[in-house]
Amino acid sequence: MKCPTIVDLQLSQNSLDAIEQIAELSDLEKLGRTALLIGQLWSIFGGTANKGVSGSGLQQYQNSLPFKVAASDSAQSGYAIYSTNWDMFFKTNSALSAIKLRQIEKIAYQQANLHVTRPKEYQFWRAVYLGCNYD
């Protein structure tokens, strides 16, 4: 849908509050993306990988060269990167946008229903709900 031109639009306080809610949704999406990224990096590099056997009586095995190579931080980090479920990470990341858009649609729909008696404000919220854009 192409965005309509609305001359002399004056938004009510209720509409201004709804616009503030939409801005908060964008901030929450950014926060969610940051939290996902930090969690992903922490699971790879933060020590959650198995660091080898310790205190189990296998001292001789732990001192062998193959074990030291396999248990090194770079080897474990490489394995953690390889074994991470990147597909799920990217699906979750993109789902944040879908959740935000659904919430914006919900807010716009409610605002359009509240402002049926105010044609310009109704037209504005209807355009937001339908996702208007400029070509």
Side-chain angles (χ1 to χ4, degrees), residues 108-128:
Y109 182 78
Q110 290 171 346
Q111 290 299 315
N113 285 335
L114 285 174
H115 297 98
V116 172
T117 58
R118 299 180 60 154
K120 291 181 182 181
E121 207 162 355
Y122 171 79
Q123 186 180 17
F124 170 78
W125 285 112
R126 183 176 181 274
V128 172

Side-chain angles (χ1 to χ4, degrees), residues 30-82:
K30 289 176 192 174
L31 181 65
R33 287 187 195 284
T34 303
L36 280 173
L37 180 60
I38 289 171
Q40 190 77 349
L41 292 174
W42 178 256
S43 71
I44 293 171
F45 300 110
T48 58
N50 185 13
K51 293 293 184 186
V53 181
S54 62
S56 64
L58 297 176
Q59 190 65 30
Q60 185 178 9
Y61 179 67
Q62 286 181 342
N63 291 333
S64 68
L65 182 61
F67 180 81
K68 286 182 180 179
V69 169
S72 70
D73 286 343
S74 60
Q76 288 195 11
S77 293
Y79 178 73
I81 291 169
Y82 169 76

